[in-house]
Amino acid sequence: GDLATEYLLKSGHRRIACITGPTNLIDSQQRLDGYYGALKRNHISADASLIIEGKYTYESGISAVDALVRNNIKFSAIFAFNDLMAIGAMRALQKYGLKVPEDISIIGYDDIFMCGLLDVPLTTVRQPMIQMGQAAANAIIKNNMKLTAENERMIFEPELFIRKSTK
């Protein structure tokens, strides 16, 4: 969440809507913490009206934008906590005559295969899934072979893939 929000802030956005995943999921909470952290570092106060809980589905991206527009919330960018919601949000923005990125910039999360194939390719955050899977497999193998009794903390850095959905 930190990387995406920081990029939008550096691009001049101050009213960044956030479509979260279900709030009971740890990955959604971590992304939201990153969003709040980036705002705080940049001396921008958080606005609860900009936060909409999604369900990690295409449809919840549409309904989040519907809620923002219906409630007359002003925003210049959206950070969606996964790409499906970001794509749904893009579709909903079209319905309201808002262009991406001319009117609203949008960033997703996951870099699913269709991000680069959209009419407006989606800027997104990619986690290093292959390295994460390899590390998890190695940890399981080590544990089963009793090579280590300690829990290793591994940190993987996500990467931002800048495409045409942001300006």
Side-chain angles (χ1 to χ4, degrees):
D2 189 290
L3 192 60
T5 307
E6 193 69 50
Y7 175 73
L8 289 170
L9 290 168
K10 294 251 183 301
S11 300
H13 297 282
R14 293 296 172 266
R15 303 271 307 156
I16 302 168
C18 189
I19 308 173
T20 74
T23 52
N24 62 324
L25 296 181
I26 187 121
D27 63 335
S28 182
Q29 194 54 58
Q30 287 171 336
R31 288 170 201 175
L32 189 57
D33 290 346
Y35 169 85
Y36 284 132
L39 291 177
K40 188 174 183 182
R41 271 194 319 279
N42 287 276
H43 312 290
I44 295 169
S45 46
D47 179 347
S49 72
L50 289 168
I51 312 294
I52 308 283
E53 184 178 354
K55 297 185 172 107
Y56 282 145
T57 63
Y58 172 81
E59 294 76 16
S60 68
I62 293 172
S63 59
V65 169
D66 286 341
L68 289 164
V69 172
R70 188 175 54 247
N71 293 314
N72 218 12
I73 307 298
K74 300 292 175 226
F75 60 97
S76 66
I78 296 173
F79 169 35
F81 284 15
N82 81 350
D83 293 335
L84 278 179
M85 292 190 303
I87 294 166
M90 288 171 87
R91 176 56 50 93
L93 290 167
Q94 282 179 335
K95 179 172 74 176
Y96 293 107
L98 295 166
K99 291 185 178 352
V100 175
E102 293 86 350
D103 300 316
I104 305 290
S105 287
I106 188 159
I107 291 185
Y109 203 104
D110 288 333
D111 196 29
I112 60 175
F113 79 96
M114 66 181 74
C115 287
L117 308 176
L118 299 167
D119 289 344
V120 178
L122 182 66
T123 297
T124 189
V125 177
R126 180 194 294 170
Q127 301 233 59
M129 299 306 284
I130 292 172
Q131 294 92 319
M132 291 166 74
Q134 288 171 335
N138 286 339
I140 290 167
I141 292 166
K142 276 185 185 176
N143 191 38
N144 284 340
M145 295 175 69
K146 303 289 183 236
L147 295 176
T148 179
E150 299 168 20
N151 286 331
E152 286 180 53
R153 182 174 168 86
M154 291 173 259
I155 296 175
F156 299 91
E157 292 299 323
E159 227 180 314
L160 184 64
F161 282 78
I162 299 166
R163 298 191 180 102
K164 293 185 179 173
S165 70
T166 51
K167 71 170 197 139

